[in-house]
Amino acid sequence: MTVADVIPPPVPGRPGAPRRRCVRHEDREASGRCTECGGAFCRECVTEHEDRLYCAPCFAARLAGAARAVRPKRDWRRWRAAGATAGSMLCLVVGFYALGRVLAAIPPDLHDGTIWKDTFGR
Ligand SMILES: [Zn+2]
Ligand SMILES: [Zn+2]
């Protein structure tokens, strides 16, 4: 008797897609994962809200939370993005200013073509 005779073969499933069961319904396959708590739920147990899936308790908690003020975490992220945009804009302006200074500093005889005659001896 070998080990393969004792241990049953693994349940066949789709490769790459682990079989998930709804937390509440053992016999139902989970169709989505709650964004808030990360639990796997079947289609009936999740609610889609703003392109995100929530289980019933999390959705209720979110509705209660939405009534309150906006999360400071999000505001902070938004301000950081605005700061980064302003910083890159400043770099662009300074860069163009420096480029303008360099171009203005080039002697005008470079543009009238005489420098090339001098270089090639004509
Ligand atoms: Zn949840
Ligand atoms: Zn369910």
Side-chain angles (χ1 to χ4, degrees), residues 26-64:
E26 288 277 313
D27 55 334
R28 292 187 189 174
E29 194 170 349
S31 66
R33 194 172 279 271
C34 174
T35 313
E36 211 70 26
C37 65
F41 294 92
C42 72
R43 195 171 287 273
E44 284 182 37
C45 291
V46 289
T47 308
E48 197 173 332
H49 179 66
E50 291 176 352
D51 292 325
R52 289 180 175 209
L53 293 175
Y54 296 96
C55 66
C58 289
F59 184 62
R62 180 164 182 86
L63 281 183

Side-chain angles (χ1 to χ4, degrees), residues 86-118:
S88 55
M89 284 292 285
L90 190 68
C91 284
L92 265 173
V93 170
V94 170
F96 274 113
Y97 177 74
L99 186 69
R101 287 297 293 265
V102 167
L103 288 177
I106 294 174
D109 56 329
L110 185 75
H111 296 292
D112 60 16
T114 54
I115 193 171
W116 305 114
K117 290 177 183 173
D118 293 343

